[in-house]
């Protein structure tokens, strides 16, 4: 790894534990952690890794990430250099680096009297991670504010993706590029005081309904689609008693709760007693504990309701 990176004129460290860089706080090391300070450096790094057959992983704030106990035998890139985390306001538009802290961006936009990002208040993320996951919730998602993206593909080429060819779905996007570099957002003028009030309200709503202080990756599972009318006759009886929560989907948390799994624990990992879609880590927890809880939850929900839960949390490798 040293040989691979040494002449790239890039800041990096070898054999870095990734747990402390994620919200779960568990998992093994990365063979290397790189902090490029320019597009050119990142591009050279991607070219070099591609030639050497080494995988590159992009790390945001690790708020939706579970790193396995083995860690990753590749290069993890963190866009924490100021060149990747600045922001500029241009009339109704904000252009910001993908490494920018989402909470800071939300507040800056509100203070500048630009509406549209309040809906993601309280969601821990880098801007790039938020766009990649289309972070959001009951109040909306970040995708609806995105106008244009500057991205880099795995061969180090930079290009732009325009609003028209971007698709933002429920916790999903059609972004296939290796790395989001910069995000251009189209916002709406509004009263800064009202916006700041709204940001605080949404933050409090989240704080009161989710275990924000515990180690977790937020919701472990996506809310599954409810079946169509024609499938109703064949549904397991237990599922008929579960109400469809929102936008034609069941709440994954409600399914896990009704399957009796709140408080289910393996080692230091537990299905949160406060919010069943959160798997939280206590001292001594390992990534294997979290994965064991997930495997059990998935099996019990499948057996009880005939529903295969889809993971929202990204697992490395
Ligand atoms: C307490 C808590 C509450 C949460 N609540 C919510 C919520 O209400 N709504 C919600 O949607 N999510 C929620 N989450 C999940 C998480 O906040 C979001 O998924 C967030 O978007 C993750 O951003 P990140 O920067 O931490 O990405 P990471 O977790 O670091 O990475 C997630 C994925 O994005 C990729 N990625 C990161 N940065 C880039 C980039 N620049 N370019 C390309 N790919 C990139 C990574 O490779 C990885 O595949 C919550 C998490 C926690 C811990």
């Amino acid at each position: 790894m040293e040989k691979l990176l040494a002449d790239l004129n890039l800041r990096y460290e070898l054999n870095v534990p990734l747990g402390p860089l994620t919200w779960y706080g568990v998992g093994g090391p990365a063979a290397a952690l790189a902090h490029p300070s320019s597009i050119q450096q990142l591009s050279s790094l991607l070219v070099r890794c591609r030639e050497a057959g080494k995988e590159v992983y992009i790390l945001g704030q690790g708020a939706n990430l579970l790193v396995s106990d083995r860690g990753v035998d590749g290069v993890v890139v963190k866009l924490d250099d100021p060149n990747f985390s600045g922001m500029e306001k241009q009339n109704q538009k904000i252009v910001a680096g993908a490494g920018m802290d989402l909470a800071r961006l939300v507040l800056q936009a509100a203070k500048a009297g630009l509406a549209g990002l309040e809906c993601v208040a309280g969601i821990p993320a880098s801007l790039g991670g938020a766009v990649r996951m289309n972070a959001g919730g009951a109040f909306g998602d970040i995708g609806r504010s995105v106008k244009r993206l500057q991205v880099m593909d795995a061969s180090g080429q930079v290009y732009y993706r325009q609003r028209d060819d971007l698709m933002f779905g429920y916790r999903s996007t059609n972004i296939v590029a290796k790395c989001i570099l910069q995000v251009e957002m189209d916002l709406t003028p509004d009263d800064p005081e009202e916006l700041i009030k709204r940001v605080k309200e949404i933050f409090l709503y989240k704080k009161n309904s989710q275990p924000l202080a515990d180690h977790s990756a937020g919701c472990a599972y996506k809310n599954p689609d409810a079946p169509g009318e024609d499938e109703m006759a064949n549904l397991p009886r237990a599922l008929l008693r579960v109400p469809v929560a929102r936008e034609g989907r069941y709440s994954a948390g409600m399914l896990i709760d009704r399957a009796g799994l709140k408080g289910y624990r393996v080692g230091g990992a537990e299905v949160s007693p406060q919010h069943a879609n959160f798997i939280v880590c206590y001292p001594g927890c390992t990534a294997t504990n979290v994965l064991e809880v997930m495997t059990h939850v998935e099996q019990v929900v499948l057996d009880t309701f005939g529903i295969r839960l889809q993971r929202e949390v990204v697992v490395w490798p």
Side-chain angles (χ1 to χ4, degrees):
M1 198 49 86
E2 178 78 58
K3 239 165 71 191
L4 188 82
L5 305 175
D7 63 343
L8 285 179
N9 190 23
L10 171 89
R11 187 161 70 86
Y12 66 90
E13 299 121 49
L14 299 178
N15 201 23
V16 181
L18 289 174
L21 301 178
T22 71
W23 274 62
Y24 265 131
V26 298
L33 176 67
H35 311 265
S37 61
S38 68
I39 288 181
Q40 190 48 53
Q41 279 187 4
L42 179 58
S43 175
S44 307
L45 173 67
L46 290 185
V47 169
R48 181 66 60 87
C49 288
R50 186 170 242 214
E51 284 165 2
K54 280 287 171 201
E55 190 61 57
V56 175
Y57 301 85
I58 312 296
L59 175 65
Q61 291 194 0
N64 198 45
L65 198 60
L66 177 67
V67 179
S68 77
D69 291 323
R70 286 185 303 278
V72 296
D73 179 25
V75 179
V76 172
V77 170
K78 182 117 176 113
L79 298 181
D80 51 3
D81 188 273
N83 286 334
F84 287 111
S85 51
M87 98 168 219
E88 200 185 314
K89 176 179 173 291
Q90 303 166 357
N91 301 321
Q92 283 179 226
K93 219 169 69 178
I94 286 183
V95 183
M100 185 168 186
D101 176 50
L102 186 68
R104 216 182 108 223
L105 174 66
V106 168
L107 206 59
Q108 294 293 324
K111 282 183 180 164
L114 290 177
L117 297 175
E118 321 78 72
C119 60
V120 291
I123 299 179
S126 62
L127 176 57
V131 171
R132 166 67 103 196
M133 302 304 304
N134 192 20
F139 304 95
D141 56 48
I142 193 155
R144 65 184 186 185
S145 299
V146 174
K147 186 164 184 259
R148 190 167 86 133
L149 298 177
Q150 185 191 40
V151 297
M152 186 179 284
D153 68 17
S155 64
Q157 293 295 316
V158 176
Y159 61 100
Y160 287 87
R161 299 271 322 255
Q162 308 290 342
R163 169 86 239 170
D164 290 354
D165 84 302
L166 287 168
M167 189 283 291
F168 290 99
Y170 165 63
R171 299 300 82 75
S172 69
T173 65
N174 62 348
I175 302 164
V176 290
K178 187 55 150 181
C179 188
I180 300 166
L181 302 171
Q182 195 181 65
V183 184
E184 203 173 299
M185 288 151 285
D186 220 358
L187 303 167
T188 318
D190 208 330
D191 175 36
E193 270 181 35
E194 281 302 313
L195 288 174
I196 291 168
K197 215 169 96 192
R198 181 100 183 110
V199 165
K200 284 185 185 155
E201 276 167 13
I202 293 178
F203 179 74
L204 278 179
Y205 167 85
K206 263 187 79 71
K207 197 167 158 238
N208 291 333
S209 56
Q210 299 179 349
L212 294 187
D214 290 323
H215 287 286
S216 79
C219 289
Y221 297 101
K222 296 186 182 187
N223 293 326
D225 286 331
E229 290 282 314
D230 50 332
E231 295 163 276
M232 293 306 260
N234 303 318
L235 295 183
R237 286 171 70 87
L239 190 59
L240 293 173
R241 292 192 289 271
V242 180
V244 175
R246 224 175 352 119
E247 294 166 0
R249 287 190 208 95
Y250 293 115
S251 149
M254 189 183 284
L255 293 171
I256 298 167
D257 186 2
R258 292 203 177 184
L261 290 163
K262 264 189 177 171
Y264 175 78
R265 190 165 176 155
V266 178
E270 184 185 62
V271 176
S272 165
Q274 186 186 346
H275 189 310
N277 201 3
F278 277 52
I279 296 171
V280 294
C281 282
Y282 296 111
C285 187
T286 63
T288 305
N289 291 159
V290 178
L291 287 167
E292 282 169 351
V293 168
M294 291 183 95
T295 305
H296 181 74
V297 164
E298 288 155 23
Q299 191 59 55
V300 173
V301 168
L302 181 63
D303 294 345
T304 312
F305 300 111
I307 286 186
R308 212 172 281 281
L309 288 174
Q310 233 194 314
R311 291 178 183 177
E312 184 173 320
V313 56
V314 175
V315 182
W316 285 357

